[in-house]
Amino acid sequence: MNDTEFNQGLMGFLELSPTPFHAVQQMTGRMEYMGYRQLFESEQWKLEKGQAYYVTRNDSSIIAFKMGKKALTETGIKMIGAHTDSPCLKVKPQPEIVKKGYFQLGVEVYGGVLLNPWFDRDLSLAGRVNYLDTDGKINQLLVNFENPVAVIPSLAIHLDREANKDRTINSQKDIPPILLKLPNDDKPDFKQMLLQLMQKQCDVCDAEEVLDYELSFYDVQPPAYIGLHQDFIASARLDNLLSCYTGLMSLLESSEDITSLLVCNDHEEVGSASSSGAQGPFLKSVLERIAGTGEILTRVIDKSMMISTDNAHAVHPNFVDKHDDNHGPIINQGPVIKTNANQRYASNSETSAIFKYLCKKVDVPVQSFVVRSDMACGSTIGPITASEIGVKTLDVGVPTFAMHSIRELAGYWDAFYLYRVLKEFYAG
Ligand SMILES: [Zn+2]
């Protein structure tokens, strides 16, 4: 696959994955097409060498793996990790608000949202709906309004003369999106609206009553190449669907001999502590079913390695002092190894050396990031997985601007570079 094909695929994936549920659905679609078989946690597994499988949890986390022909105690498992969730605004359980005849929805802030860029965007809604069907059974459906159905208008500068100097955002009061101008003050029922959408979306809809939902707003503007020479890719959710896609594309081309695995967890943006998050038992449980338990598992894990992929902060030309002078990753200059002496990143010299050697082999440039010594360091699923599983881990990611904005910016080349290195990792 060349850079153009890779980036086109990435942009399609980003556009079709407004929520972690949709991202997992997109990934499973591609895996099915490539002959991966679906496994269910509730069933007995009979894994065969040379076959590939996937299993999901909560429909928002996924583990895919290909069983290598060689013994696991000899090769270990080559693992890549990423996360499916991105910071966003989630609809509250009883969200209806009517003020001055405007129908709005109350929202919760999910993760570390950069709120400013959410104003004046064309927003749509997507997620999972759990409903009662016509047979009286509980069922679920992924929904996507697709059209721009909401907006959070800014307050005009004339009504807030200091806006450019000191405007702050109150996340309870200032951000409920507007969906409708009502003819009267009757409060519409949001669940009823959902039901109508579901009936419109499916040819045969068996939904009788919406019981609950997990829905979030997203920007309908599709991903785009940006820049005079199209040096950049702008999109929502580059953190971290870019890594999910890159991991997936690499896995699809992995070696026949060595067992390879990709884990994409939900809930990284809120600390990973959930049944489907990196701090939950999902990966451990799948590893036990692949390799066995006790001594044998310890032996396999000791031979294994995890590359945890999550975007890094590129040094911004308008804010160069936010980075250490010697550790400011530049866009389009390759993936970034993230290290932190206090283990906020799991990389060590051993895993970092392996990655650098892989980059060298495929002729891809590589950069390094450590946070300024006087600033707090972020974290990701790498250290969490390393602590849960005990596998040697590397934290790496492509350099980006505007992380956690509704529209982030990555380089044209970096995801493709990362893909080439990860492919080499999986190749043995
Ligand atoms: Zn991330």
Side-chain angles (χ1 to χ4, degrees):
M1 194 181 336
N2 65 25
D3 50 295
T4 319
E5 290 161 349
F6 178 87
N7 280 334
Q8 281 308 120
L10 168 64
M11 287 159 83
F13 177 70
L14 288 161
E15 190 175 2
L16 294 169
S17 308
T19 74
F21 304 113
H22 291 85
V24 166
Q25 190 186 48
Q26 285 297 313
M27 292 173 85
T28 59
R30 280 156 215 246
M31 282 179 215
E32 291 272 349
Y33 182 74
M34 294 298 285
Y36 279 62
R37 297 190 204 161
Q38 184 170 15
L39 296 168
F40 297 92
E41 288 197 279
S42 57
E43 293 175 1
Q44 202 178 13
W45 293 3
K46 285 198 182 78
L47 305 176
E48 292 167 41
K49 286 186 174 186
Q51 292 297 326
Y53 305 90
Y54 72 87
V55 54
T56 65
R57 194 180 269 203
N58 187 45
D59 305 313
S60 62
S61 291
I62 181 163
I63 295 176
F65 56 95
K66 203 191 247 178
M67 296 295 292
K69 291 181 179 143
K70 289 190 181 163
L72 283 169
T73 44
E74 195 188 314
T75 63
I77 302 173
K78 305 251 182 173
M79 295 185 243
I80 291 174
H83 65 88
T84 56
D85 60 323
S86 305
C88 62
L89 303 182
K90 291 203 167 185
V91 181
K92 288 181 176 176
Q94 290 169 40
E96 298 91 347
I97 302 169
V98 175
K99 260 191 214 164
K100 299 282 177 193
Y102 295 98
F103 177 63
Q104 297 169 271
L105 292 180
V107 286
E108 267 190 295
V109 176
Y110 175 82
V113 177
L114 191 60
L115 285 171
N116 257 309
W118 279 77
F119 288 84
D120 311 319
R121 291 276 172 173
D122 305 347
L123 303 177
S124 192
L125 257 182
R128 175 170 72 175
V129 179
N130 299 78
Y131 63 90
L132 205 58
D133 69 18
T134 39
D135 292 333
K137 290 203 184 83
I138 298 176
N139 228 321
Q140 65 177 42
L141 187 72
L142 297 196
V143 298
N144 186 352
F145 278 74
E146 289 177 5
N147 295 320
V149 294
V151 61
I152 313 170
S154 291
L155 180 65
I157 193 156
H158 315 78
L159 304 178
D160 179 10
R161 290 284 179 192
E162 302 304 309
N164 287 332
K165 215 173 94 214
D166 55 17
R167 180 175 289 180
T168 56
I169 300 165
N170 180 309
S171 48
Q172 170 68 19
K173 205 174 97 17
D174 300 347
I175 59 170
I178 298 175
L179 280 84
L180 273 178
K181 172 66 189 76
L182 300 165
N184 51 46
D185 267 2
D186 293 347
K187 213 181 245 187
D189 182 349
F190 179 59
K191 288 197 175 104
Q192 210 53 41
M193 288 179 178
L194 271 179
L195 195 61
Q196 282 166 13
L197 172 82
M198 287 158 68
Q199 281 156 354
K200 223 165 80 182
Q201 224 176 44
C202 323
D203 296 337
V204 191
C205 185
D206 59 350
E208 203 154 77
E209 185 191 342
V210 169
L211 296 173
D212 217 333
Y213 53 78
E214 286 164 77
L215 295 171
S216 49
F217 284 99
Y218 72 93
D219 185 358
V220 296
Q221 186 177 5
Y225 295 120
I226 301 280
L228 196 56
H229 295 147
Q230 309 204 320
D231 284 330
F232 309 103
I233 293 172
S235 173
R237 303 176 296 283
L238 287 172
D239 175 13
N240 190 19
L241 294 184
L242 179 150
S243 305
C244 293
Y245 176 79
T246 307
L248 175 63
M249 289 301 116
S250 320
L251 179 73
L252 296 179
E253 295 181 51
S254 63
S255 141
E256 297 291 316
D257 288 337
I258 302 171
T259 299
S260 47
L261 178 148
L262 172 70
V263 51
C264 298
N265 285 115
D266 194 3
H267 299 143
E268 187 274 343
E269 299 292 357
V270 292
S272 294
S274 76
S275 66
S276 51
Q279 212 181 314
F282 189 29
L283 178 58
K284 177 89 185 286
S285 146
V286 170
L287 288 176
E288 284 175 351
R289 296 174 87 162
I290 294 176
T293 53
E295 186 182 286
I296 188 106
L297 182 64
T298 307
R299 286 174 62 196
V300 172
I301 284 176
D302 190 54
K303 286 266 184 187
S304 303
M305 177 168 158
M306 155 77 76
I307 298 183
S308 152
T309 55
D310 199 356
N311 298 348
H313 299 296
V315 60
H316 192 308
N318 300 349
F319 305 93
V320 287
D321 57 345
K322 292 290 178 188
H323 278 71
D324 179 289
D325 268 350
N326 292 344
H327 301 91
I330 305 283
I331 282 187
N332 282 333
Q333 290 188 13
V336 182
I337 294 174
K338 301 186 266 183
T339 48
N340 179 256
N342 299 304
Q343 295 299 305
R344 300 284 291 165
Y345 297 126
S347 314
N348 60 30
S349 61
E350 186 189 0
T351 56
S352 154
I354 292 170
F355 191 81
K356 284 178 180 167
Y357 181 57
L358 291 170
C359 290
K360 204 181 160 113
K361 270 165 79 178
V362 294
D363 199 20
V364 158
V366 59
Q367 315 184 68
S368 84
F369 173 79
V370 291
V371 74
R372 278 179 65 110
S373 301
D374 54 3
M375 273 172 74
C377 185
S379 192
T380 178
I381 55 165
I384 295 168
T385 309
S387 337
E388 290 296 316
I389 308 295
V391 63
K392 64 171 175 278
T393 300
L394 174 85
D395 273 302
V396 73
V398 305
T400 60
F401 290 139
M403 194 183 285
H404 292 195
S405 167
I406 196 166
R407 200 152 174 92
E408 301 173 326
L409 199 72
Y412 176 92
W413 287 105
D414 294 317
F416 182 66
Y417 282 152
L418 181 63
Y419 156 72
R420 282 175 49 201
V421 184
L422 296 181
K423 220 168 62 161
E424 187 65 19
F425 171 65
Y426 274 148

